[in-house]
Amino acid sequence: MPEGDSIRRAATRLHAVLAGRVLTRSDLRVPRFATADLTGRVTLDVTPRGKHLLTRFEGGLTLHSHLRMDGAWHVFTSGEKWRGGPAHEIRAVLGTADHTAVGYRLPVLELIRTAEEDRVVGHLGPDLLGPDWDPDLAAARLLAAPERALGEALLDQRNLAGVGNIYKAELCFLAQVTPWTPVGALPESALPRLAAAAHRLLSANTGERPGPRNTTGSRRPGQDLFVYGRTHRPCLRCGTPVREAPQDGRPTYWCPRCQQGPTP
């Protein structure tokens, strides 16, 4: 599933070609909104909120989309051949005189009143990459359920919006605890530091230049992430083989030497 930094990059690309421009083409290929026509409206902005995308149009309308595991927005110049999947996977087409934004495999796509956006994103915690970012509030929300496993709490978008499975594993590594460690078992000062680290990592990976996500600071090939996806490979810090086990149905990675706490 795309994480907050990926959604920020997608929003930046869409905003650059849609904002301030009149739609010359509009096609929402989902049954509920198949008859909706946005042609002639000006796109006001494309705003990310956690893992959600909000495309706002004049007249008080917002197109809400969520990519989940397989969704993607692609941008093409006028006349360029669309690439991103077969035509039957297209769920949305937004075109201007110069560009076309095509949404493939979007599991969530709905047209709502802009005044009602809170209905779809109001439950989210502080956005790691948004203007409402508040590390103290994020830490307080994480601690609201002290018995909960840290890995699960980090993925709960009601606590802080934008963390996915990759950052979950990397943040637990940086905190030197396993993802199964109860939130309440961490020192009182650890959660604000963890929230600040999440903000720092996502912010560092929002650049437009393509490349692998990096949490280590290393420029050496294959050393972009401390533990995520490194099952049986050496931990970049101590050399101990990284382990993997499911947590809430998702593969989860940790170093048995660098990270203390319960394991499956």
Side-chain angles (χ1 to χ4, degrees), residues 198-216:
H199 174 68
R200 184 179 68 253
L201 291 182
L202 266 74
S203 297
N205 283 281
T206 56
E208 282 301 293
R209 294 183 63 185
R213 182 177 283 113
N214 190 300
T215 62
T216 65

Side-chain angles (χ1 to χ4, degrees), residues 36-50:
D37 187 5
L38 299 170
T39 302
R41 294 179 186 262
V42 174
T43 304
L44 301 179
D45 63 80
V46 182
T47 297
R49 184 73 173 87

Side-chain angles (χ1 to χ4, degrees), residues 236-256:
L236 294 185
R237 181 172 290 169
C238 73
T240 301
V242 171
R243 298 186 62 185
E244 174 192 346
Q247 182 180 42
D248 198 24
R250 305 184 189 194
T252 299
Y253 308 86
W254 78 101
C255 171

Side-chain angles (χ1 to χ4, degrees), residues 13 48 51 114 119 153 192 207 213 232 259:
R13 290 195 301 272
K51 299 181 183 181
T114 301
R119 176 173 61 81
R213 182 177 283 113
H232 305 313
Q259 296 172 255

